[in-house]
Amino acid sequence: MGRRLALTLAYLAYLLATAIGTERQKHHVQHGPCSYTFILPEVENCHPLKDFQVTNTLQRDSPPEDQPDTGQHKQGKAQKDRPSWQEKKLESLESAMENNTQWLQKLENFIQENVRSGMEEMKRTAVHTQTAAMLEMGTNLLSQSAEQTRKLTDVETQVLNQTSRLEIQLLEYSLFTNRLEKHILLQTQEISRLGDKNNFLEQRLLALEARYGKELQGLQSEKQQLQELLEKQSRLVSQLQGELGSSTHNSSVLQRQQAALTDTVQQLLAMVSNCNEISNTPKKETLHFKDCAAILRSGVTESGIYSIRLHNSTQTVKVFCDMKTRGGGWTVLQHRRNGSVDFHRGWRDYKMGFGEPHGEHWLGNDIIHKLTSSQEYSLHVQLKDRDGNEAYSHYDLFYINSEHRNYSLHAEGFSGTAGRTSSLTHTSTPFSTKDRDNDRCTCKCAQLASGGWWFEACGPSNLNGMYYPSSSNVVRYNGIKWYYWKGPNLMATMTTMMVRPASF
Ligand SMILES: *[C@@H]1O[C@H](CO)[C@@H](O)[C@H](O)[C@H]1NC(C)=O
Ligand SMILES: *[C@@H]1O[C@H](CO)[C@@H](O)[C@H](O)[C@H]1NC(C)=O
Ligand SMILES: *[C@@H]1O[C@H](CO)[C@@H](O)[C@H](O)[C@H]1NC(C)=O
Ligand SMILES: *[C@@H]1O[C@H](CO)[C@@H](O)[C@H](O)[C@H]1NC(C)=O
Ligand SMILES: *[C@@H]1O[C@H](CO)[C@@H](O)[C@H](O)[C@H]1NC(C)=O
Ligand SMILES: CC(=O)N[C@H]1CO[C@H](CO)[C@@H](O)[C@@H]1O
């Protein structure tokens, strides 16, 4: 470097010298901010060679022998005073050269230093600026990335928020769905249960409809019958009213006739006693049989009509005695056979009795009371249905109270074939007729069921009901009834109620 610089400088000096000519001795060289002044030796007589060569080292001017060399200016003088002057000059030149060389070296060093420092400075500044720029860019990037990161985190949190919200909603929905499913399940079960119930109810409804349809038909036909009956009865009532008028008129006539009759009877009795006295036979006892059992014990074994004298009474009563059934001795209280006698009667008829002992009849509550309260009696109820099947109900103890207690019934010790349970109410049920309602029903059983009986409300039996000659499927509330034998619709062709001493 230094060598090349020196070379350059030397060349520059030569160029200057050739340009300005030989007149100038001082030469200025401007290099950047530095200016250099070169003082060159005089070269007036020197002729530069065509082939000017610069060597690396400064060379001593050689004496001009064959050809003129670089130091031509010295050449001229060397011809005058060669040994001393030339040597001195050479020496000074050499030192100057040396100094110059040193200086140049210094300069070179300086320049090198400068250049290096400048370069370094430049480099450093460049690096600084670049670093700063890079740093700025970096910081920019960093801030940008931070911003991005922040935005990303924001977005992330939003997304997370959204996701969690959605999850919560989903959870809620699933819970809701579960609840709904459960609800639906319950509803379905409920519906099926209701459906079952509905089916059951429908079936029941159908059954009830069918049943009530039948009953309705029965009731309608019964209503018709009742209406007919009512008409008949109202006709009867008007007829009876008419008869009442005439009978009140006739009663005085009757009383007179009765008086006449009693007279005749007394005459007859007197005649009879006369006859008894005459015949002197103990026939008197036959008049004192108190019931059919007593008659049977007296030796009579034929069923038929006999007279009995009630206990503590002079009253004689004609009764039908059944001497065949279960050993005989039965005093008949009630008998139905063919519906020839109307049993739908009032209190008084039942009190006094009606019908004929050889046919259908009711013996009379007063007589029954007197008979059954004189000693312990058992009751036998004989029944026969349309097809001729017979059955019976038996009560070990039977009696009815007096009229003051409305002929209330007592029946104990049930047995028999006409039902496993007693169809007779054996509590102290009073007697009711269509005109004396003593039952425990808000209705009037005697009117509803017809006849006189110990109706409760209205109870499972009524042997004094309407006599229906033929059976039908129609339920009749007013027919002859012995519930526990044939249900509510027994069509008996024969009923008999009869008593016999319990001790028989
Ligand atoms: C979700 O964001 C809403 C507002 O946008 C805020 O009210 C709510 O508290 C956030 N929920 C969660 C779980 O961060
Ligand atoms: C009343 O007497 C008359 C004549 O004796 C008779 O025709 C009529 O049937 C009697 N009436 C009654 C209700 O007995
Ligand atoms: C029946 O006669 C007995 C005595 O023989 C008597 O003690 C009783 O009071 C009489 N009863 C009636 C209802 O007359
Ligand atoms: C019912 O029976 C009685 C007695 O046997 C008889 O007198 C009457 O004529 C009969 N009545 C009918 C409607 O069969
Ligand atoms: C008998 O029946 C009548 C009404 O029919 C009633 O006033 C009376 O209290 C009854 N007697 C008894 C003892 O129950
Ligand atoms: C010819 C010339 O200028 N020589 C000088 C070289 O440098 C020394 C010291 O620096 C001087 O003393 C000389 O005079």
Side-chain angles (χ1 to χ4, degrees):
M1 181 74 162
R3 241 187 244 168
R4 200 183 297 169
L5 192 71
L7 192 77
T8 317
L9 283 169
Y11 183 63
L12 276 169
Y14 161 73
L15 281 178
L16 278 165
T18 51
I20 297 160
T22 54
E23 295 164 343
R24 304 277 197 275
Q25 289 184 340
K26 288 183 185 178
H27 302 283
H28 292 278
V29 175
Q30 193 77 25
H31 178 72
C34 305
S35 68
Y36 309 101
T37 309
F38 299 92
I39 304 167
L40 294 171
E42 290 169 13
V43 284
E44 295 146 30
N45 302 317
C46 291
H47 299 286
L49 290 167
K50 280 189 177 170
D51 291 324
F52 182 74
Q53 286 188 335
V54 178
T55 54
N56 283 347
T57 53
L58 285 170
Q59 288 173 355
R60 187 187 293 233
D61 295 338
S62 60
E65 290 168 7
D66 296 343
Q67 49 191 294
D69 226 308
T70 45
Q72 280 172 356
H73 58 287
K74 290 157 198 174
Q75 229 173 357
K77 281 183 182 175
Q79 282 175 337
K80 292 166 194 175
D81 42 16
R82 196 168 278 193
S84 61
W85 185 79
Q86 273 189 340
E87 278 180 358
K88 270 198 232 168
K89 185 86 174 178
L90 196 67
E91 274 173 20
S92 72
L93 272 172
E94 275 179 349
S95 71
M97 202 64 162
E98 196 90 11
N99 278 5
N100 270 344
T101 313
Q102 280 173 7
W103 188 80
L104 272 171
Q105 271 180 346
K106 274 185 194 168
L107 189 68
E108 191 188 322
N109 285 341
F110 178 74
I111 287 166
Q112 272 182 1
E113 195 79 14
N114 263 1
V115 168
R116 201 184 296 148
S117 69
M119 287 281 281
E120 274 175 9
E121 189 78 14
M122 265 173 65
K123 258 193 216 167
R124 219 181 293 144
T125 50
V127 164
H128 272 169
T129 50
Q130 274 197 359
T131 317
M134 293 290 278
L135 278 171
E136 210 181 316
M137 270 168 69
T139 44
N140 276 348
L141 281 170
L142 275 172
S143 59
Q144 274 184 11
S145 65
E147 186 80 8
Q148 294 283 2
T149 318
R150 205 165 49 75
K151 278 184 185 166
L152 273 175
T153 35
D154 276 4
V155 168
E156 206 178 24
T157 47
Q158 276 179 11
V159 166
L160 278 174
N161 185 345
Q162 207 77 351
T163 316
S164 58
R165 259 223 319 268
L166 283 173
E167 275 175 358
I168 290 165
Q169 273 185 5
L170 207 69
L171 211 72
E172 280 172 0
Y173 278 135
S174 63
L175 282 174
F176 189 66
T177 315
N178 276 357
R179 270 217 308 271
L180 271 178
E181 272 176 0
K182 251 189 243 170
H183 204 70
I184 285 164
L185 211 74
L186 282 176
Q187 293 281 5
T188 320
Q189 285 174 357
E190 187 77 4
I191 283 164
S192 63
R193 214 149 50 88
L194 282 175
D196 289 352
K197 215 165 140 186
N198 206 15
N199 279 352
F200 175 66
L201 284 175
E202 267 179 2
Q203 283 173 0
R204 257 186 75 180
L205 196 73
L206 282 173
L208 281 175
E209 270 179 1
R211 219 181 94 192
Y212 280 118
K214 268 189 211 165
E215 278 186 21
L216 203 72
Q217 279 182 348
L219 282 173
Q220 275 170 347
S221 66
E222 234 164 75
K223 191 181 155 193
Q224 235 171 0
Q225 283 174 356
L226 282 173
Q227 271 174 346
E228 282 166 20
L229 213 81
L230 203 72
E231 279 167 27
K232 223 165 78 183
Q233 278 179 352
S234 54
R235 258 182 279 133
L236 215 81
V237 164
S238 54
Q239 197 187 329
L240 281 172
Q241 275 172 344
E243 270 177 32
L244 197 72
S246 55
S247 66
T248 40
H249 172 73
N250 283 8
S251 62
S252 53
V253 181
L254 280 170
Q255 273 171 353
R256 262 177 275 138
Q257 281 181 352
Q258 201 179 12
L261 273 170
T262 31
D263 283 351
T264 331
V265 166
Q266 274 171 354
Q267 282 171 8
L268 277 169
L269 277 171
M271 277 167 69
V272 164
S273 62
N274 284 343
C275 280
N276 282 347
E277 275 167 25
I278 293 160
S279 61
N280 205 19
T281 47
K283 270 267 175 181
K284 218 178 183 180
E285 239 180 290
T286 49
L287 292 172
H288 289 85
F289 294 129
K290 61 173 183 175
D291 57 25
C292 295
I295 295 169
L296 183 72
R297 270 198 294 268
S298 75
V300 180
T301 55
E302 201 72 27
S303 295
I305 296 158
Y306 297 91
S307 282
I308 58 167
R309 181 182 276 193
L310 293 173
H311 184 65
N312 270 7
S313 165
T314 52
Q315 189 184 355
T316 55
V317 183
K318 279 189 174 169
V319 297
F320 189 90
C321 290
D322 183 336
M323 301 301 195
K324 298 276 178 276
T325 305
R326 289 163 71 94
W330 296 102
T331 308
V332 174
L333 310 181
Q334 186 262 21
H335 186 60
R336 308 292 294 275
R337 178 193 306 190
N338 55 13
S340 57
V341 173
D342 177 21
F343 271 68
H344 194 48
R345 293 166 180 253
W347 186 264
R348 195 178 157 71
D349 281 353
Y350 274 98
K351 172 187 163 83
M352 302 307 289
F354 54 85
E356 292 299 327
H358 62 266
E360 296 194 322
H361 73 285
W362 180 256
L363 189 59
N365 286 338
D366 274 346
I367 299 165
I368 296 169
H369 159 64
K370 277 178 186 156
L371 187 66
T372 57
S373 60
S374 66
Q375 70 174 91
E376 287 193 348
Y377 276 89
S378 55
L379 172 72
H380 193 78
V381 179
Q382 191 77 30
L383 302 163
K384 189 193 275 181
D385 71 9
R386 247 175 350 115
D387 306 321
N389 303 311
E390 289 198 36
Y392 73 93
S393 286
H394 187 86
Y395 298 86
D396 292 335
L397 179 63
F398 166 80
Y399 69 91
I400 65 170
N401 280 307
S402 65
E403 188 179 14
H404 294 296
R405 297 168 69 180
N406 294 329
Y407 306 118
S408 50
L409 171 82
H410 293 268
E412 296 170 22
F414 169 79
S415 62
T417 56
R420 277 191 273 166
T421 311
S422 170
S423 294
L424 206 58
T425 55
H426 46 264
T427 49
S428 52
T429 307
F431 199 83
S432 291
T433 54
K434 60 183 180 183
D435 53 349
R436 285 278 292 269
D437 182 40
N438 295 324
D439 58 45
R440 291 190 192 145
C441 177
T442 48
C443 62
K444 293 188 171 176
C445 294
Q447 290 185 7
L448 201 71
S450 93
W453 196 252
W454 300 276
F455 293 113
E456 206 172 8
C458 293
S461 63
N462 175 21
L463 294 183
N464 294 335
M466 294 292 287
Y467 188 97
Y468 290 106
S470 65
S471 177
S472 80
N473 286 332
V474 177
V475 178
R476 298 181 193 278
Y477 289 107
N478 60 354
I480 294 170
K481 188 160 78 171
W482 198 253
Y483 185 86
Y484 292 106
W485 183 38
K486 293 267 165 132
N489 200 17
L490 165 65
M491 295 300 150
T493 54
M494 196 274 287
T495 74
T496 310
M497 292 172 71
M498 47 199 187
V499 291
R500 187 169 73 178
S503 56
F504 183 82

